[in-house]
């Protein structure tokens, strides 16, 4: 069984993706006010290059070029799914989700001594909230912290 990061609200039993919407609204409340602590909120649009290509077109081309149907089905699974698994010595690993991996990278960066949490997130250790193909990242707005986040991205 795969552990799902709490920032993936839509995939945690008993939670909805709307929970992240409400939480992000709360975190952004008052951003326009001056504060002695610099704040940083980043919205990252996760878009794969093939998101703008009609998948059916790719599949039709592969079939027209006489690719083996099994290979066409493999390619179709790769381009239409945001999840992947790795096969090592014939044994499939747990399913990997791109946003899950990114959340783990950001969590690792938050363990660096120079990383400073957003002042509303320090207690809960929230760094990011996921929304399908979008990501909200919250931190203190100092240069070392933002550099760590950029390294993670």
């Amino acid at each position: 069984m795969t552990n799902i990061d709490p920032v993936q609200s839509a995939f945690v039993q008993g939670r909805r993706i709307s929970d992240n919407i409400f939480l992000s609204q709360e975190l952004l409340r008052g951003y326009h006010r001056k504060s002695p602590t610099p704040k940083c909120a980043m919205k990252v649009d996760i878009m794969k290059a093939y998101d703008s290509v009609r998948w059916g077109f790719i599949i039709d081309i592969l079939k027209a070029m006489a690719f083996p149907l099994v290979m066409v089905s493999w390619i179709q699974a790769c381009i239409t799914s945001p999840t992947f698994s790795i096969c090592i010595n014939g044994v499939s690993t747990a399913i990997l989700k791109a946003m899950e991996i990114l959340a783990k990278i950001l969590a690792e960066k938050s363990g660096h001594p120079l990383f400073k949490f957003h002042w509303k997130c320090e207690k809960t250790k929230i760094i990011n909230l996921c929304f399908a193909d979008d990501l909200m990242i919250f931190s203190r707005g100092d240069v070392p912290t933002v550099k760590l986040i950029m390294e993670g991205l």
Side-chain angles (χ1 to χ4, degrees):
M1 182 185 217
T2 305
N3 289 336
I4 297 173
D5 196 294
V7 299
Q8 297 272 23
S9 290
F11 303 105
V12 175
Q13 187 172 0
R15 292 182 62 194
R16 300 176 304 269
I17 197 164
S18 60
D19 295 343
N20 278 357
I21 295 168
F22 297 134
L23 182 53
S24 64
Q25 286 175 332
E26 184 61 32
L27 292 172
L28 291 171
R29 185 173 296 159
Y31 248 61
H32 63 286
R33 295 188 193 122
K34 290 195 178 210
S35 167
T37 305
K39 305 171 275 217
C40 179
M42 298 180 217
K43 180 190 173 286
V44 181
D45 184 15
I46 309 294
M47 182 177 167
K48 297 168 282 305
Y50 58 80
D51 280 348
S52 58
V53 176
R54 191 175 63 83
W55 295 331
F57 173 76
I58 294 171
I59 301 307
D60 291 344
I61 294 297
L62 292 172
K63 288 177 181 175
M65 294 176 70
F67 274 75
L69 289 181
V70 70
M71 182 178 276
V72 172
S73 69
W74 293 340
I75 292 170
Q76 184 172 9
C78 288
I79 65 174
T80 60
S81 173
T83 61
F84 303 92
S85 65
I86 300 169
C87 188
I88 301 172
N89 295 328
V91 178
S92 184
T93 64
I95 291 176
L96 305 173
K97 296 179 178 75
M99 294 296 263
E100 188 75 17
I101 293 167
L102 183 55
K104 290 191 183 317
I105 290 169
L106 292 173
E108 180 182 300
K109 293 295 181 185
S110 75
H112 192 283
L114 293 176
F115 186 90
K116 303 289 186 250
F117 284 92
H118 179 283
W119 70 277
K120 287 185 177 179
C121 301
E122 197 159 5
K123 184 177 179 183
T124 57
K125 304 292 187 219
I126 292 173
I127 305 159
N128 62 295
L129 299 172
C130 299
F131 305 90
D133 286 346
D134 292 315
L135 180 72
M136 286 292 296
I137 301 173
F138 300 94
S139 71
R140 184 175 290 176
D142 60 80
V143 173
T145 298
V146 174
K147 278 186 176 180
L148 285 166
I149 291 170
M150 295 307 293
E151 286 173 14
L153 293 172

